[in-house]
Amino acid sequence: MPLADVAKAISDLEAQVAAGSRQAYSFRDAILTAVHRQPHRALNWDRLDELFGTSHAKLFLDAWDEVPRELRDRLHSGLCDWIGQPGKPYVLLSSRVVGYPGAPWRLAERTEQEREMELLPFDADQQQAFVRAYFVSDAAPVLRNVRQKDARLS
C-alpha cells in the first residue's frame, strides 16, 4: 500500500478529531482507513481486521519518498509507536533512495528479521530473465519493448 495513502488517512483522521466528529484515532485506524479506500473486490474485511493486530499479518508499505513532506513527521511518529508494540504484523517498507531518511524505527543489529537492504537495478540479462519468468506465456513483446528502451538509452 502506498504510504502516501496512510499519511492522507492520518491527516483526515486528525481533521475529524479537530472537528469533534471523532474522539481519537490510532495508527491502526489510519492503516485500516487507507486499506478500506483501496479498490479491493474480494477482500474479507472482517478477517483483515482480525489479523491486523497480530503477527500473522504482513504489511507492505511502499513509497516513503512519495509521502508529502508536511505529513512525514506524523507518519514517522505513528509508525515508530505502532511498530514497537508486541504482536504487530511483519512490515516491509520500501522507498527510492531519494527522499529516504532511514528506517522509521530502530533496527536490530542486522538480524534476519530486521534489516535495511538496497536493491540494485537489473542489468540487461537480468531484465530479460525476469521478463521471461514473469510473462511466461507472452514474453516476446515485452522483451522487444525492453530492448527498444535500452537502445534509446545507450
Side-chain angles (χ1 to χ4, degrees):
M1 168 183 353
L3 275 160
D5 293 355
V6 179
K8 173 73 171 113
I10 288 172
S11 180
D12 293 347
L13 291 168
E14 286 176 349
Q16 290 173 13
V17 170
S21 61
R22 182 182 194 101
Q23 288 187 342
Y25 76 93
S26 68
F27 189 75
R28 178 179 187 275
D29 295 333
I31 294 281
L32 289 174
T33 297
V35 169
H36 279 277
R37 290 176 177 173
Q38 301 295 314
H40 301 289
R41 291 192 176 96
L43 196 54
N44 181 334
W45 293 109
D46 292 333
R47 182 73 174 135
L48 174 69
D49 193 46
E50 175 187 321
L51 285 174
F52 194 73
T54 73
S55 58
H56 298 289
K58 310 262 187 289
L59 183 61
F60 299 96
L61 301 172
D62 185 35
W64 178 267
D65 55 296
E66 294 178 16
V67 174
R69 291 196 187 281
E70 66 274 9
L71 299 177
R72 285 184 188 173
D73 286 344
R74 290 181 290 202
L75 180 60
H76 183 273
S77 175
L79 270 170
C80 288
D81 293 343
W82 184 68
I83 292 296
Q85 297 174 13
K88 294 302 170 215
Y90 174 85
V91 175
L92 177 67
L93 173 69
S94 70
S95 176
R96 288 190 275 294
V97 174
V98 174
Y100 177 63
W105 56 87
R106 188 184 162 295
L107 295 173
E109 297 296 320
R110 302 256 180 214
T111 67
E112 284 297 311
Q113 291 77 29
E114 296 182 9
R115 62 180 172 215
E116 283 186 291
M117 294 182 281
E118 181 177 349
L119 302 177
L120 301 175
F122 286 164
D123 63 28
D125 291 339
Q126 291 169 323
Q127 289 173 6
Q128 291 182 23
F130 172 79
V131 167
R132 282 191 191 97
Y134 192 80
F135 298 97
V136 175
S137 62
D138 199 15
V142 178
L143 284 171
R144 276 195 300 277
N145 189 20
V146 168
R147 288 186 193 115
Q148 288 171 353
K149 286 183 180 180
D150 282 347
R152 284 192 301 246
L153 294 175
S154 300

